[in-house]
């Protein structure tokens, strides 16, 4: 099998991204489609009902594909910031929205953008100042949990945090250590990439197999620190 940057699966399909090509496989591993619509395409996500998938590039573009017709539905640039666009994303639990963490203006400014999955028009956007960066978002039990960090006036990280995204705001913020922030950033990146060998790198002191079997989540992290408040 090819050495994919990311390789994710659901019960019917698998999506493999090499950076230049996106491959689609059926449940038994037969290649059924491949696309070369965007360069620097390293990550993807299935909608929860499995009818579409989205591919994200590091240069600020998204591509949306139909799994029913195995065709491109739409591709577009969501930001003029070309590079550093490797933050997280997820679908809403009802499949109506796609939430993308973006860099807007420059790579020091985070934004949380929400897109309607009917036509991928943007319905809301939360622009953050340079003192707050949000890197990953996860959906759990109907709530969105985010991981990020705060900067001081010198633009150096002062503390990590885990919080919630709701009503177009980052709220219920709880501080975590810089070491925890770094671990969760690396772990969630690896998880988003499907725990591939190529994405494993040298960020961890434990094996890839142990990380695959682990169940670290932002919901658990937030609940742990919330219990101490």
């Amino acid at each position: 099998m090819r050495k994919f940057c990311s390789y994710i699966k659901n019960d019917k399909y698998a999506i493999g991204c090499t950076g230049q090509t996106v491959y689609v496989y059926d449940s038994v591993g037969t290649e059924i489609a491949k696309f070369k619509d965007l360069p620097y395409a390293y990550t993807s996500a299935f909608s929860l009902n499995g009818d579409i998938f989205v591919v994200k590039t590091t240069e600020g573009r998204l591509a949306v594909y139909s799994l029913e017709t195995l065709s491109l539905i739409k591709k577009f640039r969501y930001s003029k910031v070309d590079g550093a666009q490797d933050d997280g994303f997820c679908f809403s639990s009802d499949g109506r929205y796609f939430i993308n963490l973006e860099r807007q203006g420059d790579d020091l400014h985070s934004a949380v953008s929400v897109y309607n999955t009917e036509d991928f028009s943007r319905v809301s956007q939360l622009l953050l100042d340079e003192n707050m960066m949000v890197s990953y978002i996860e959906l759990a039990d109907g709530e969105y949990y985010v991981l990020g960090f705060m900067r001081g006036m010198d633009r150096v990280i002062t503390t990590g945090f885990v919080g919630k995204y709701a009503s177009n705001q980052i709220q219920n913020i709880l501080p975590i250590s810089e070491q925890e922030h770094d671990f969760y950033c690396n772990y969630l990146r690896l998880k988003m990439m499907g725990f591939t060998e190529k994405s494993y790198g040298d960020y961890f002191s434990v094996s890839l197999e142990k990380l695959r079997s682990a169940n670290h989540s932002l919901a658990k992290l937030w609940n742990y620190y919330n219990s101490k408040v």
Side-chain angles (χ1 to χ4, degrees):
M1 181 176 283
R2 297 175 180 87
K3 289 189 176 181
F4 291 109
C5 296
S6 67
Y7 188 81
I8 63 169
K9 297 187 290 184
N10 64 13
D11 59 344
K12 292 183 179 180
Y13 301 99
I15 308 295
C17 297
T18 65
Q20 299 299 315
T21 307
V22 177
Y23 294 86
V24 183
Y25 299 90
D26 64 16
S27 60
V28 296
T30 302
E31 181 185 310
I32 55 176
K34 65 179 178 180
F35 304 98
K36 294 187 176 184
D37 299 296
L38 295 173
Y40 313 111
Y42 299 109
T43 51
S44 61
F46 291 104
S47 62
L48 296 190
N49 62 6
D51 60 338
I52 64 172
F53 70 96
V54 173
V55 174
K56 181 175 181 176
T57 79
T58 56
E59 63 166 5
R61 298 179 187 271
L62 292 173
V64 187
Y65 296 92
S66 168
L67 283 164
E68 295 178 355
T69 62
L70 296 174
S71 61
L72 175 70
I73 298 173
K74 183 176 183 177
K75 63 178 179 178
F76 62 99
R77 179 180 284 279
Y78 60 81
S79 172
K80 294 181 180 179
V81 179
D82 186 356
Q85 301 281 3
D86 55 359
D87 298 314
F89 47 82
C90 70
F91 282 89
S92 63
S93 57
D94 59 9
R96 294 176 58 195
Y97 302 103
F98 178 77
I99 300 96
N100 189 39
L101 302 183
E102 306 171 354
R103 308 296 174 100
Q104 292 286 349
D106 58 48
D107 61 5
L108 294 177
H109 288 81
S110 280
V112 184
S113 293
V114 180
Y115 298 89
N116 187 320
T117 54
E118 287 189 359
D119 59 4
F120 272 79
S121 59
R122 192 172 65 202
V123 296
S124 69
Q125 185 176 76
L126 171 63
L127 296 171
L128 302 173
D129 65 38
E130 64 182 21
N131 295 324
M132 176 184 283
M133 294 293 293
V134 178
S135 303
Y136 288 96
I137 184 167
E138 282 191 334
L139 174 65
D141 298 323
E143 294 190 285
Y144 300 99
Y145 295 86
V146 295
L147 179 75
F149 62 85
M150 305 298 294
R151 287 194 185 97
M153 296 300 293
D154 55 2
R155 295 185 176 180
V156 174
I157 297 175
T158 57
T159 185
F161 71 82
V162 61
K164 294 184 179 183
Y165 170 74
S167 303
N168 204 34
Q169 296 292 326
I170 306 298
Q171 51 192 247
N172 302 117
I173 293 172
L174 300 171
I176 62 175
S177 70
E178 187 175 341
Q179 290 75 21
E180 282 176 305
H181 169 268
D182 291 347
F183 172 82
Y184 273 87
C185 266
N186 291 326
Y187 174 82
L188 293 173
R189 177 69 177 171
L190 187 62
K191 181 179 179 180
M192 186 170 68
M193 305 288 273
F195 296 99
T196 62
E197 292 279 354
K198 199 166 185 178
S199 63
Y200 176 58
D202 56 359
Y203 305 112
F204 302 97
S205 59
V206 297
S207 70
L208 182 58
E209 287 305 313
K210 286 185 177 180
L211 291 168
R212 283 186 180 132
S213 62
N215 187 26
H216 302 292
S217 74
L218 296 183
K220 286 184 177 180
L221 184 65
W222 187 89
N223 285 323
Y224 171 76
Y225 278 101
N226 189 55
S227 69
K228 294 180 174 295
V229 175

